[in-house]
Amino acid sequence: MTCLKHSVLAAAIMLAATMTSLHQAHAQPCEQESFEEAKYVICTLEPGNADLQLFWKNVDGAPYRAFSNLAEAVRAEGRTLTFAVNAGMYRADFSPMGLYVENGRELQPANMTEAESSSGQVPNFYKKPNGVFFLGQAGAGILPTDEFLKRRPKARFATQSGPMLVIANKLNPIFIVGSTDRTRRSGVGTCERGAVRFAISEDGVNFHDFARLFRDHLKCADALFLDGGRGVGLYNPAMGRNDWSWHGGYGPIFGLIE
């Protein structure tokens, strides 16, 4: 009888472990949330539980442009694209505006151009400081571009965008409280306990409010703006989302692979 009890207990433990593993494997990273009356989709990746990668070109050397194209390529390798977002600003040929590292190879150098505008409107990428999101053996990090280039952390993946939203738990001082420059925006933050959080706004928000979302609501000590307006996009089949960019497609793409 004792042996039978032990066998039943062992089977129950194994079943519970299996169910937990399946739940983790199929848990959806994205949820709808609100912050100060604005609606967002927040996607959270816990350290060690996700295979986050950067993608730009397919095996033929052409930009993926569409999330569905990337999903098909991943599926052909026997894996699944769980979600994807735009990974930063890009040029008309869909090439990254700045530094881009994929699988340890630097495919685009850092962009240190000082942009000026006669209209007084500096393009977002060039607003100071811009920054670099990177993934390495130690996990994810975000640094202002100047600091990243000084430290040169070993990175398997990296993408440059701008401006920085949150820097060492402080809002970028260039942001204006109550600004009327409101549009949809996307960004990424490195947050408490090593989590990486992506935010995609469903409503128009200004930079100051978007930065506060990361610092005050998502508890991210560092955060980087990815894109705005028509460049904001999300792929998440569980939410029925496969967004398209009206710029004709996307350049670099963040993708979560299972």
Side-chain angles (χ1 to χ4, degrees), residues 114-127:
E114 296 285 341
E116 297 183 1
S117 173
S118 57
S119 66
Q121 295 293 324
V122 176
N124 287 332
F125 180 90
Y126 299 102
K127 290 177 179 177

Side-chain angles (χ1 to χ4, degrees), residues 7-101:
S7 297
V8 171
L9 178 60
I13 292 173
M14 290 179 64
L15 177 60
T18 300
M19 294 302 293
T20 299
S21 177
L22 286 171
H23 174 74
Q24 290 175 345
H26 296 284
Q28 295 302 322
C30 302
E31 297 179 343
Q32 293 180 327
E33 296 187 28
S34 295
F35 177 66
E36 297 183 341
E37 300 183 357
K39 296 178 182 178
Y40 299 89
V41 175
I42 307 298
C43 302
T44 300
L45 311 184
E46 300 295 343
N49 290 338
D51 188 3
L52 180 66
Q53 299 183 30
L54 278 166
F55 300 89
W56 172 23
K57 295 180 178 181
N58 61 25
V59 293
D60 297 322
Y64 284 106
R65 294 178 56 180
F67 294 139
S68 54
N69 291 337
L70 176 58
E72 290 174 8
V74 171
R75 191 179 303 115
E77 297 177 352
R79 304 187 71 185
T80 301
L81 181 66
T82 303
F83 92 92
V85 294
N86 177 356
M89 295 164 210
Y90 46 94
R91 297 182 172 88
D93 63 356
F94 307 102
S95 62
M97 284 285 292
L99 178 71
Y100 181 82
V101 176

